Amino acid sequence: MKSHTPGKSGHQFTLTGRISQLIFKSNFLWFCLAWLLIILSWELGSWLEWLNPQILPPPSETIPYAFSGNITIGFGQQRTGLFESTAITLGRVGTGMLIGLLVSSCLAIMVTELPILRRLILPIVQSLAPIAPVAWIPFTIVVIGIGGPAAVFIVFMAVLGTMTLSLIAALDGIPDEYLKIAHNLGTSRIRMWWYVRLPAIIPGTMTAIRMSFFGAWMAVLAGEMAGLNSGLGYMIIMAQQMYNMKLVMVGILAIGFIGFAIDRLLLLINARLLQWVQ
């Protein structure tokens, strides 16, 4: 009796199926496909004159310009480039978010430890959280000026309310059983925070940081466009005033890709922290 062996076509079919599953599950490939469709639609719209190439330059012009190495705008002291502006904006966002996270953490700890402060601090934070970051721009320019500290303050105000409320909600959501068991074992307050409360709120905290980053990213760009004299938003406004629409589009694309990259980085950090907790 002859043993049955799979034919060559069977192996090819299995290999093709595995490759198809990998492609279908690859987020990176879907990301590339989505942007390829956008670029092709953008180029086709310009070629068919559905889009005005003077206002919205096609990718065949914008992408080579982005890699030309000559992405600058302005004259004299006001002259700025894409990489310099991006570094300034990222520095402002990072500084403002770090200060906001530290202050929010202190407020959340105070509210958790001292019930009387919950009644005093929480209403103030709840009143500040709904205020749009753009609303702080006129106040900031008048009080602080138009330099880097003003942008940092706008970012700080953009994240303070929502970050504090998110941390308080995460702390309030810790199961009482965890705290009771730790208390019955004679755990000190410092060890309670380090070994019980902190690991329990890491997922909620990272989600709050991600959401706060988007708010901070948009807030600082709005501030730079509204009157601050440097940064990525300032570069885009200056390019628009000089009718350099290629640079405007490059700046907009840079905003999207940088925001996406930082969000992916925060997701990676969150995954590593969850492994540490587990």
Side-chain angles (χ1 to χ4, degrees), residues 96 99-101 103-105 107-108 121-131 133 136 153-169 208 212:
I99 297 174
L101 179 60
V103 174
S104 298
S105 300
L107 292 176
I121 294 176
L122 203 54
I124 298 175
V125 175
Q126 290 171 335
S127 300
L128 292 176
I131 300 177
W136 291 103
F153 178 77
I154 292 172
V155 172
F156 169 74
M157 295 306 301
V159 305
L160 177 63
T162 54
M163 181 76 74
T164 303
L165 293 178
S166 298
L167 291 176
I168 292 174
S212 297

PDB file of all heavy atoms in Angstrom, residues 96 99-101 103-105 107-108 121-131 133 136 153-169 208 212:
ATOM      1  N   GLY A  96       6.442  70.712  29.166  1.00  0.00           N
ATOM      2  CA  GLY A  96       5.115  70.999  29.714  1.00  0.00           C
ATOM      3  C   GLY A  96       4.422  69.762  30.240  1.00  0.00           C
ATOM      4  O   GLY A  96       3.789  69.795  31.302  1.00  0.00           O
ATOM      5  N   ILE A  99       6.135  68.600  33.603  1.00  0.00           N
ATOM      6  CA  ILE A  99       5.691  69.422  34.738  1.00  0.00           C
ATOM      7  C   ILE A  99       4.239  69.111  35.073  1.00  0.00           C
ATOM      8  O   ILE A  99       3.862  68.984  36.253  1.00  0.00           O
ATOM      9  CB  ILE A  99       5.865  70.919  34.403  1.00  0.00           C
ATOM     10  CG1 ILE A  99       7.343  71.242  34.187  1.00  0.00           C
ATOM     11  CG2 ILE A  99       5.298  71.779  35.529  1.00  0.00           C
ATOM     12  CD1 ILE A  99       7.600  72.661  33.707  1.00  0.00           C
ATOM     13  N   GLY A 100       3.398  68.966  34.030  1.00  0.00           N
ATOM     14  CA  GLY A 100       1.996  68.649  34.261  1.00  0.00           C
ATOM     15  C   GLY A 100       1.806  67.313  34.947  1.00  0.00           C
ATOM     16  O   GLY A 100       0.963  67.175  35.845  1.00  0.00           O
ATOM     17  N   LEU A 101       2.610  66.314  34.555  1.00  0.00           N
ATOM     18  CA  LEU A 101       2.508  64.990  35.171  1.00  0.00           C
ATOM     19  C   LEU A 101       2.935  65.032  36.637  1.00  0.00           C
ATOM     20  O   LEU A 101       2.297  64.423  37.500  1.00  0.00           O
ATOM     21  CB  LEU A 101       3.365  63.985  34.394  1.00  0.00           C
ATOM     22  CG  LEU A 101       3.397  62.553  34.933  1.00  0.00           C
ATOM     23  CD1 LEU A 101       2.004  61.953  34.955  1.00  0.00           C
ATOM     24  CD2 LEU A 101       4.342  61.687  34.098  1.00  0.00           C
ATOM     25  N   VAL A 103       2.904  67.698  38.712  1.00  0.00           N
ATOM     26  CA  VAL A 103       1.909  68.431  39.507  1.00  0.00           C
ATOM     27  C   VAL A 103       0.637  67.610  39.654  1.00  0.00           C
ATOM     28  O   VAL A 103       0.040  67.548  40.742  1.00  0.00           O
ATOM     29  CB  VAL A 103       1.617  69.800  38.862  1.00  0.00           C
ATOM     30  CG1 VAL A 103       0.486  70.510  39.597  1.00  0.00           C
ATOM     31  CG2 VAL A 103       2.874  70.671  38.853  1.00  0.00           C
ATOM     32  N   SER A 104       0.198  66.957  38.586  1.00  0.00           N
ATOM     33  CA  SER A 104      -1.013  66.132  38.635  1.00  0.00           C
ATOM     34  C   SER A 104      -0.834  64.973  39.611  1.00  0.00           C
ATOM     35  O   SER A 104      -1.766  64.636  40.363  1.00  0.00           O
ATOM     36  CB  SER A 104      -1.345  65.596  37.242  1.00  0.00           C
ATOM     37  OG  SER A 104      -1.606  66.646  36.344  1.00  0.00           O
ATOM     38  N   SER A 105       0.344  64.367  39.605  1.00  0.00           N
ATOM     39  CA  SER A 105       0.601  63.262  40.532  1.00  0.00           C
ATOM     40  C   SER A 105       0.555  63.733  41.980  1.00  0.00           C
ATOM     41  O   SER A 105      -0.023  63.066  42.854  1.00  0.00           O
ATOM     42  CB  SER A 105       1.964  62.633  40.225  1.00  0.00           C
ATOM     43  OG  SER A 105       2.008  62.132  38.905  1.00  0.00           O
ATOM     44  N   LEU A 107      -1.102  66.333  43.146  1.00  0.00           N
ATOM     45  CA  LEU A 107      -2.493  66.638  43.481  1.00  0.00           C
ATOM     46  C   LEU A 107      -3.297  65.362  43.722  1.00  0.00           C
ATOM     47  O   LEU A 107      -4.098  65.291  44.663  1.00  0.00           O
ATOM     48  CB  LEU A 107      -3.134  67.456  42.360  1.00  0.00           C
ATOM     49  CG  LEU A 107      -2.615  68.884  42.173  1.00  0.00           C
ATOM     50  CD1 LEU A 107      -3.267  69.529  40.956  1.00  0.00           C
ATOM     51  CD2 LEU A 107      -2.875  69.723  43.418  1.00  0.00           C
ATOM     52  N   ALA A 108      -3.072  64.344  42.895  1.00  0.00           N
ATOM     53  CA  ALA A 108      -3.803  63.086  43.056  1.00  0.00           C
ATOM     54  C   ALA A 108      -3.445  62.411  44.373  1.00  0.00           C
ATOM     55  O   ALA A 108      -4.317  61.856  45.065  1.00  0.00           O
ATOM     56  CB  ALA A 108      -3.504  62.159  41.881  1.00  0.00           C
ATOM     57  N   ILE A 121      -9.705  70.699  46.360  1.00  0.00           N
ATOM     58  CA  ILE A 121      -8.957  70.680  45.106  1.00  0.00           C
ATOM     59  C   ILE A 121      -9.796  70.175  43.948  1.00  0.00           C
ATOM     60  O   ILE A 121      -9.736  70.720  42.832  1.00  0.00           O
ATOM     61  CB  ILE A 121      -7.683  69.820  45.277  1.00  0.00           C
ATOM     62  CG1 ILE A 121      -6.740  70.483  46.276  1.00  0.00           C
ATOM     63  CG2 ILE A 121      -6.985  69.619  43.938  1.00  0.00           C
ATOM     64  CD1 ILE A 121      -5.500  69.661  46.574  1.00  0.00           C
ATOM     65  N   LEU A 122     -10.585  69.135  44.184  1.00  0.00           N
ATOM     66  CA  LEU A 122     -11.314  68.496  43.093  1.00  0.00           C
ATOM     67  C   LEU A 122     -12.242  69.458  42.343  1.00  0.00           C
ATOM     68  O   LEU A 122     -12.262  69.440  41.100  1.00  0.00           O
ATOM     69  CB  LEU A 122     -12.089  67.290  43.618  1.00  0.00           C
ATOM     70  CG  LEU A 122     -12.455  66.218  42.586  1.00  0.00           C
ATOM     71  CD1 LEU A 122     -11.238  65.737  41.835  1.00  0.00           C
ATOM     72  CD2 LEU A 122     -13.148  65.041  43.277  1.00  0.00           C
ATOM     73  N   PRO A 123     -13.015  70.317  43.028  1.00  0.00           N
ATOM     74  CA  PRO A 123     -13.861  71.247  42.264  1.00  0.00           C
ATOM     75  C   PRO A 123     -13.061  72.190  41.364  1.00  0.00           C
ATOM     76  O   PRO A 123     -13.502  72.523  40.257  1.00  0.00           O
ATOM     77  CB  PRO A 123     -14.606  72.025  43.357  1.00  0.00           C
ATOM     78  CG  PRO A 123     -14.586  71.125  44.541  1.00  0.00           C
ATOM     79  CD  PRO A 123     -13.279  70.412  44.473  1.00  0.00           C
ATOM     80  N   ILE A 124     -11.886  72.617  41.833  1.00  0.00           N
ATOM     81  CA  ILE A 124     -11.053  73.510  41.022  1.00  0.00           C
ATOM     82  C   ILE A 124     -10.555  72.787  39.776  1.00  0.00           C
ATOM     83  O   ILE A 124     -10.599  73.313  38.656  1.00  0.00           O
ATOM     84  CB  ILE A 124      -9.862  74.032  41.854  1.00  0.00           C
ATOM     85  CG1 ILE A 124     -10.376  74.838  43.050  1.00  0.00           C
ATOM     86  CG2 ILE A 124      -8.937  74.873  40.989  1.00  0.00           C
ATOM     87  CD1 ILE A 124      -9.282  75.294  43.985  1.00  0.00           C
ATOM     88  N   VAL A 125     -10.071  71.559  39.964  1.00  0.00           N
ATOM     89  CA  VAL A 125      -9.571  70.784  38.830  1.00  0.00           C
ATOM     90  C   VAL A 125     -10.690  70.481  37.835  1.00  0.00           C
ATOM     91  O   VAL A 125     -10.506  70.564  36.618  1.00  0.00           O
ATOM     92  CB  VAL A 125      -8.923  69.474  39.329  1.00  0.00           C
ATOM     93  CG1 VAL A 125      -8.505  68.607  38.141  1.00  0.00           C
ATOM     94  CG2 VAL A 125      -7.715  69.779  40.200  1.00  0.00           C
ATOM     95  N   GLN A 126     -11.865  70.149  38.346  1.00  0.00           N
ATOM     96  CA  GLN A 126     -13.002  69.869  37.474  1.00  0.00           C
ATOM     97  C   GLN A 126     -13.436  71.107  36.701  1.00  0.00           C
ATOM     98  O   GLN A 126     -13.999  70.988  35.604  1.00  0.00           O
ATOM     99  CB  GLN A 126     -14.166  69.331  38.307  1.00  0.00           C
ATOM    100  CG  GLN A 126     -13.932  67.934  38.853  1.00  0.00           C
ATOM    101  CD  GLN A 126     -15.000  67.494  39.844  1.00  0.00           C
ATOM    102  OE1 GLN A 126     -15.653  68.332  40.476  1.00  0.00           O
ATOM    103  NE2 GLN A 126     -15.185  66.189  39.988  1.00  0.00           N
ATOM    104  N   SER A 127     -13.185  72.278  37.242  1.00  0.00           N
ATOM    105  CA  SER A 127     -13.516  73.523  36.545  1.00  0.00           C
ATOM    106  C   SER A 127     -12.464  73.864  35.484  1.00  0.00           C
ATOM    107  O   SER A 127     -12.786  74.449  34.449  1.00  0.00           O
ATOM    108  CB  SER A 127     -13.637  74.683  37.537  1.00  0.00           C
ATOM    109  OG  SER A 127     -14.647  74.427  38.491  1.00  0.00           O
ATOM    110  N   LEU A 128     -11.211  73.506  35.741  1.00  0.00           N
ATOM    111  CA  LEU A 128     -10.144  73.801  34.783  1.00  0.00           C
ATOM    112  C   LEU A 128     -10.122  72.831  33.614  1.00  0.00           C
ATOM    113  O   LEU A 128      -9.752  73.216  32.496  1.00  0.00           O
ATOM    114  CB  LEU A 128      -8.786  73.762  35.495  1.00  0.00           C
ATOM    115  CG  LEU A 128      -8.496  74.862  36.512  1.00  0.00           C
ATOM    116  CD1 LEU A 128      -7.161  74.602  37.193  1.00  0.00           C
ATOM    117  CD2 LEU A 128      -8.496  76.232  35.848  1.00  0.00           C
ATOM    118  N   ALA A 129     -10.498  71.587  33.849  1.00  0.00           N
ATOM    119  CA  ALA A 129     -10.386  70.551  32.814  1.00  0.00           C
ATOM    120  C   ALA A 129     -11.153  70.880  31.536  1.00  0.00           C
ATOM    121  O   ALA A 129     -10.637  70.629  30.429  1.00  0.00           O
ATOM    122  CB  ALA A 129     -10.828  69.197  33.380  1.00  0.00           C
ATOM    123  N   PRO A 130     -12.395  71.424  31.583  1.00  0.00           N
ATOM    124  CA  PRO A 130     -13.119  71.668  30.328  1.00  0.00           C
ATOM    125  C   PRO A 130     -12.621  72.860  29.521  1.00  0.00           C
ATOM    126  O   PRO A 130     -13.052  73.045  28.380  1.00  0.00           O
ATOM    127  CB  PRO A 130     -14.561  71.918  30.804  1.00  0.00           C
ATOM    128  CG  PRO A 130     -14.622  71.470  32.215  1.00  0.00           C
ATOM    129  CD  PRO A 130     -13.249  71.664  32.750  1.00  0.00           C
ATOM    130  N   ILE A 131     -11.742  73.692  30.092  1.00  0.00           N
ATOM    131  CA  ILE A 131     -11.272  74.883  29.380  1.00  0.00           C
ATOM    132  C   ILE A 131     -10.343  74.456  28.250  1.00  0.00           C
ATOM    133  O   ILE A 131      -9.344  73.768  28.473  1.00  0.00           O
ATOM    134  CB  ILE A 131     -10.539  75.842  30.337  1.00  0.00           C
ATOM    135  CG1 ILE A 131     -11.484  76.296  31.461  1.00  0.00           C
ATOM    136  CG2 ILE A 131      -9.998  77.048  29.582  1.00  0.00           C
ATOM    137  CD1 ILE A 131     -10.824  77.181  32.495  1.00  0.00           C
ATOM    138  N   PRO A 133      -7.392  74.488  25.646  1.00  0.00           N
ATOM    139  CA  PRO A 133      -6.053  75.093  25.747  1.00  0.00           C
ATOM    140  C   PRO A 133      -5.912  76.389  24.961  1.00  0.00           C
ATOM    141  O   PRO A 133      -5.177  77.292  25.373  1.00  0.00           O
ATOM    142  CB  PRO A 133      -5.142  73.993  25.182  1.00  0.00           C
ATOM    143  CG  PRO A 133      -5.906  72.728  25.363  1.00  0.00           C
ATOM    144  CD  PRO A 133      -7.342  73.088  25.216  1.00  0.00           C
ATOM    145  N   TRP A 136      -6.324  79.711  26.733  1.00  0.00           N
ATOM    146  CA  TRP A 136      -5.260  80.234  27.579  1.00  0.00           C
ATOM    147  C   TRP A 136      -4.253  81.075  26.799  1.00  0.00           C
ATOM    148  O   TRP A 136      -3.405  81.738  27.408  1.00  0.00           O
ATOM    149  CB  TRP A 136      -4.518  79.082  28.264  1.00  0.00           C
ATOM    150  CG  TRP A 136      -5.327  78.357  29.294  1.00  0.00           C
ATOM    151  CD1 TRP A 136      -5.940  77.142  29.157  1.00  0.00           C
ATOM    152  CD2 TRP A 136      -5.615  78.788  30.626  1.00  0.00           C
ATOM    153  NE1 TRP A 136      -6.595  76.793  30.303  1.00  0.00           N
ATOM    154  CE2 TRP A 136      -6.416  77.791  31.237  1.00  0.00           C
ATOM    155  CE3 TRP A 136      -5.285  79.932  31.362  1.00  0.00           C
ATOM    156  CZ2 TRP A 136      -6.866  77.901  32.546  1.00  0.00           C
ATOM    157  CZ3 TRP A 136      -5.740  80.037  32.670  1.00  0.00           C
ATOM    158  CH2 TRP A 136      -6.519  79.035  33.241  1.00  0.00           C
ATOM    159  N   PHE A 153       3.789  76.769  29.327  1.00  0.00           N
ATOM    160  CA  PHE A 153       2.645  77.007  30.205  1.00  0.00           C
ATOM    161  C   PHE A 153       1.346  76.552  29.547  1.00  0.00           C
ATOM    162  O   PHE A 153       0.470  75.974  30.207  1.00  0.00           O
ATOM    163  CB  PHE A 153       2.557  78.489  30.561  1.00  0.00           C
ATOM    164  CG  PHE A 153       1.372  78.841  31.417  1.00  0.00           C
ATOM    165  CD1 PHE A 153       1.368  78.550  32.772  1.00  0.00           C
ATOM    166  CD2 PHE A 153       0.242  79.436  30.862  1.00  0.00           C
ATOM    167  CE1 PHE A 153       0.267  78.861  33.569  1.00  0.00           C
ATOM    168  CE2 PHE A 153      -0.862  79.748  31.645  1.00  0.00           C
ATOM    169  CZ  PHE A 153      -0.854  79.467  33.001  1.00  0.00           C
ATOM    170  N   ILE A 154       1.192  76.800  28.245  1.00  0.00           N
ATOM    171  CA  ILE A 154      -0.013  76.362  27.530  1.00  0.00           C
ATOM    172  C   ILE A 154      -0.127  74.841  27.563  1.00  0.00           C
ATOM    173  O   ILE A 154      -1.210  74.287  27.791  1.00  0.00           O
ATOM    174  CB  ILE A 154       0.009  76.879  26.080  1.00  0.00           C
ATOM    175  CG1 ILE A 154      -0.136  78.408  26.067  1.00  0.00           C
ATOM    176  CG2 ILE A 154      -1.105  76.247  25.248  1.00  0.00           C
ATOM    177  CD1 ILE A 154       0.062  79.031  24.705  1.00  0.00           C
ATOM    178  N   VAL A 155       0.982  74.154  27.345  1.00  0.00           N
ATOM    179  CA  VAL A 155       0.976  72.687  27.409  1.00  0.00           C
ATOM    180  C   VAL A 155       0.621  72.228  28.823  1.00  0.00           C
ATOM    181  O   VAL A 155      -0.174  71.288  29.012  1.00  0.00           O
ATOM    182  CB  VAL A 155       2.344  72.121  26.982  1.00  0.00           C
ATOM    183  CG1 VAL A 155       2.409  70.620  27.231  1.00  0.00           C
ATOM    184  CG2 VAL A 155       2.614  72.425  25.516  1.00  0.00           C
ATOM    185  N   PHE A 156       1.205  72.873  29.820  1.00  0.00           N
ATOM    186  CA  PHE A 156       0.929  72.527  31.213  1.00  0.00           C
ATOM    187  C   PHE A 156      -0.559  72.652  31.528  1.00  0.00           C
ATOM    188  O   PHE A 156      -1.164  71.744  32.120  1.00  0.00           O
ATOM    189  CB  PHE A 156       1.758  73.425  32.132  1.00  0.00           C
ATOM    190  CG  PHE A 156       1.380  73.340  33.582  1.00  0.00           C
ATOM    191  CD1 PHE A 156       1.732  72.233  34.341  1.00  0.00           C
ATOM    192  CD2 PHE A 156       0.657  74.364  34.184  1.00  0.00           C
ATOM    193  CE1 PHE A 156       1.375  72.147  35.678  1.00  0.00           C
ATOM    194  CE2 PHE A 156       0.305  74.288  35.518  1.00  0.00           C
ATOM    195  CZ  PHE A 156       0.663  73.179  36.264  1.00  0.00           C
ATOM    196  N   MET A 157      -1.171  73.745  31.128  1.00  0.00           N
ATOM    197  CA  MET A 157      -2.595  73.943  31.387  1.00  0.00           C
ATOM    198  C   MET A 157      -3.444  72.976  30.574  1.00  0.00           C
ATOM    199  O   MET A 157      -4.551  72.606  30.984  1.00  0.00           O
ATOM    200  CB  MET A 157      -2.995  75.385  31.077  1.00  0.00           C
ATOM    201  CG  MET A 157      -2.349  76.423  31.970  1.00  0.00           C
ATOM    202  SD  MET A 157      -2.596  76.119  33.747  1.00  0.00           S
ATOM    203  CE  MET A 157      -4.392  76.123  33.857  1.00  0.00           C
ATOM    204  N   ALA A 158      -2.938  72.557  29.420  1.00  0.00           N
ATOM    205  CA  ALA A 158      -3.700  71.623  28.583  1.00  0.00           C
ATOM    206  C   ALA A 158      -3.802  70.245  29.212  1.00  0.00           C
ATOM    207  O   ALA A 158      -4.786  69.522  29.000  1.00  0.00           O
ATOM    208  CB  ALA A 158      -3.060  71.518  27.195  1.00  0.00           C
ATOM    209  N   VAL A 159      -2.782  69.852  29.996  1.00  0.00           N
ATOM    210  CA  VAL A 159      -2.763  68.489  30.538  1.00  0.00           C
ATOM    211  C   VAL A 159      -3.118  68.432  32.016  1.00  0.00           C
ATOM    212  O   VAL A 159      -3.452  67.356  32.525  1.00  0.00           O
ATOM    213  CB  VAL A 159      -1.376  67.836  30.324  1.00  0.00           C
ATOM    214  CG1 VAL A 159      -0.986  67.864  28.859  1.00  0.00           C
ATOM    215  CG2 VAL A 159      -0.296  68.511  31.170  1.00  0.00           C
ATOM    216  N   LEU A 160      -3.055  69.558  32.722  1.00  0.00           N
ATOM    217  CA  LEU A 160      -3.206  69.531  34.174  1.00  0.00           C
ATOM    218  C   LEU A 160      -4.552  68.963  34.610  1.00  0.00           C
ATOM    219  O   LEU A 160      -4.620  68.033  35.428  1.00  0.00           O
ATOM    220  CB  LEU A 160      -3.032  70.940  34.744  1.00  0.00           C
ATOM    221  CG  LEU A 160      -3.236  71.077  36.258  1.00  0.00           C
ATOM    222  CD1 LEU A 160      -2.183  70.263  37.011  1.00  0.00           C
ATOM    223  CD2 LEU A 160      -3.188  72.544  36.674  1.00  0.00           C
ATOM    224  N   GLY A 161      -5.643  69.503  34.075  1.00  0.00           N
ATOM    225  CA  GLY A 161      -6.967  69.089  34.533  1.00  0.00           C
ATOM    226  C   GLY A 161      -7.293  67.649  34.210  1.00  0.00           C
ATOM    227  O   GLY A 161      -7.653  66.863  35.090  1.00  0.00           O
ATOM    228  N   THR A 162      -7.150  67.281  32.934  1.00  0.00           N
ATOM    229  CA  THR A 162      -7.510  65.918  32.526  1.00  0.00           C
ATOM    230  C   THR A 162      -6.583  64.880  33.145  1.00  0.00           C
ATOM    231  O   THR A 162      -7.037  63.799  33.536  1.00  0.00           O
ATOM    232  CB  THR A 162      -7.461  65.801  30.996  1.00  0.00           C
ATOM    233  OG1 THR A 162      -6.163  66.234  30.518  1.00  0.00           O
ATOM    234  CG2 THR A 162      -8.523  66.674  30.341  1.00  0.00           C
ATOM    235  N   MET A 163      -5.298  65.202  33.252  1.00  0.00           N
ATOM    236  CA  MET A 163      -4.355  64.254  33.847  1.00  0.00           C
ATOM    237  C   MET A 163      -4.667  64.030  35.323  1.00  0.00           C
ATOM    238  O   MET A 163      -4.669  62.881  35.803  1.00  0.00           O
ATOM    239  CB  MET A 163      -2.924  64.772  33.690  1.00  0.00           C
ATOM    240  CG  MET A 163      -1.868  63.848  34.254  1.00  0.00           C
ATOM    241  SD  MET A 163      -1.558  62.419  33.198  1.00  0.00           S
ATOM    242  CE  MET A 163      -0.640  63.205  31.887  1.00  0.00           C
ATOM    243  N   THR A 164      -4.964  65.096  36.050  1.00  0.00           N
ATOM    244  CA  THR A 164      -5.276  64.959  37.472  1.00  0.00           C
ATOM    245  C   THR A 164      -6.537  64.140  37.679  1.00  0.00           C
ATOM    246  O   THR A 164      -6.582  63.232  38.525  1.00  0.00           O
ATOM    247  CB  THR A 164      -5.444  66.348  38.115  1.00  0.00           C
ATOM    248  OG1 THR A 164      -4.255  67.117  37.909  1.00  0.00           O
ATOM    249  CG2 THR A 164      -5.706  66.218  39.608  1.00  0.00           C
ATOM    250  N   LEU A 165      -7.582  64.424  36.915  1.00  0.00           N
ATOM    251  CA  LEU A 165      -8.829  63.670  37.045  1.00  0.00           C
ATOM    252  C   LEU A 165      -8.628  62.201  36.681  1.00  0.00           C
ATOM    253  O   LEU A 165      -9.205  61.309  37.326  1.00  0.00           O
ATOM    254  CB  LEU A 165      -9.908  64.290  36.159  1.00  0.00           C
ATOM    255  CG  LEU A 165     -10.392  65.684  36.569  1.00  0.00           C
ATOM    256  CD1 LEU A 165     -11.414  66.205  35.575  1.00  0.00           C
ATOM    257  CD2 LEU A 165     -10.975  65.671  37.978  1.00  0.00           C
ATOM    258  N   SER A 166      -7.812  61.936  35.670  1.00  0.00           N
ATOM    259  CA  SER A 166      -7.560  60.542  35.278  1.00  0.00           C
ATOM    260  C   SER A 166      -6.811  59.790  36.367  1.00  0.00           C
ATOM    261  O   SER A 166      -7.132  58.624  36.661  1.00  0.00           O
ATOM    262  CB  SER A 166      -6.762  60.501  33.961  1.00  0.00           C
ATOM    263  OG  SER A 166      -7.490  61.094  32.904  1.00  0.00           O
ATOM    264  N   LEU A 167      -5.831  60.425  36.981  1.00  0.00           N
ATOM    265  CA  LEU A 167      -5.074  59.772  38.047  1.00  0.00           C
ATOM    266  C   LEU A 167      -5.950  59.527  39.272  1.00  0.00           C
ATOM    267  O   LEU A 167      -5.869  58.464  39.903  1.00  0.00           O
ATOM    268  CB  LEU A 167      -3.867  60.631  38.420  1.00  0.00           C
ATOM    269  CG  LEU A 167      -2.750  60.731  37.375  1.00  0.00           C
ATOM    270  CD1 LEU A 167      -1.665  61.689  37.837  1.00  0.00           C
ATOM    271  CD2 LEU A 167      -2.161  59.377  37.083  1.00  0.00           C
ATOM    272  N   ILE A 168      -6.785  60.501  39.604  1.00  0.00           N
ATOM    273  CA  ILE A 168      -7.681  60.319  40.753  1.00  0.00           C
ATOM    274  C   ILE A 168      -8.658  59.180  40.485  1.00  0.00           C
ATOM    275  O   ILE A 168      -8.925  58.338  41.365  1.00  0.00           O
ATOM    276  CB  ILE A 168      -8.438  61.629  41.047  1.00  0.00           C
ATOM    277  CG1 ILE A 168      -7.455  62.693  41.548  1.00  0.00           C
ATOM    278  CG2 ILE A 168      -9.540  61.400  42.086  1.00  0.00           C
ATOM    279  CD1 ILE A 168      -8.081  64.061  41.715  1.00  0.00           C
ATOM    280  N   ALA A 169      -9.200  59.123  39.266  1.00  0.00           N
ATOM    281  CA  ALA A 169     -10.127  58.044  38.916  1.00  0.00           C
ATOM    282  C   ALA A 169      -9.433  56.690  38.976  1.00  0.00           C
ATOM    283  O   ALA A 169     -10.016  55.691  39.437  1.00  0.00           O
ATOM    284  CB  ALA A 169     -10.708  58.282  37.529  1.00  0.00           C
ATOM    285  N   ALA A 208      -3.922  57.869  30.179  1.00  0.00           N
ATOM    286  CA  ALA A 208      -4.081  59.299  30.428  1.00  0.00           C
ATOM    287  C   ALA A 208      -2.940  60.095  29.797  1.00  0.00           C
ATOM    288  O   ALA A 208      -3.166  61.185  29.238  1.00  0.00           O
ATOM    289  CB  ALA A 208      -4.138  59.563  31.927  1.00  0.00           C
ATOM    290  N   SER A 212      -3.377  62.869  26.982  1.00  0.00           N
ATOM    291  CA  SER A 212      -2.864  64.203  27.302  1.00  0.00           C
ATOM    292  C   SER A 212      -1.841  64.653  26.268  1.00  0.00           C
ATOM    293  O   SER A 212      -1.759  65.855  25.962  1.00  0.00           O
ATOM    294  CB  SER A 212      -2.229  64.202  28.693  1.00  0.00           C
ATOM    295  OG  SER A 212      -3.193  63.914  29.683  1.00  0.00           O
TER     296      SER A 212
END
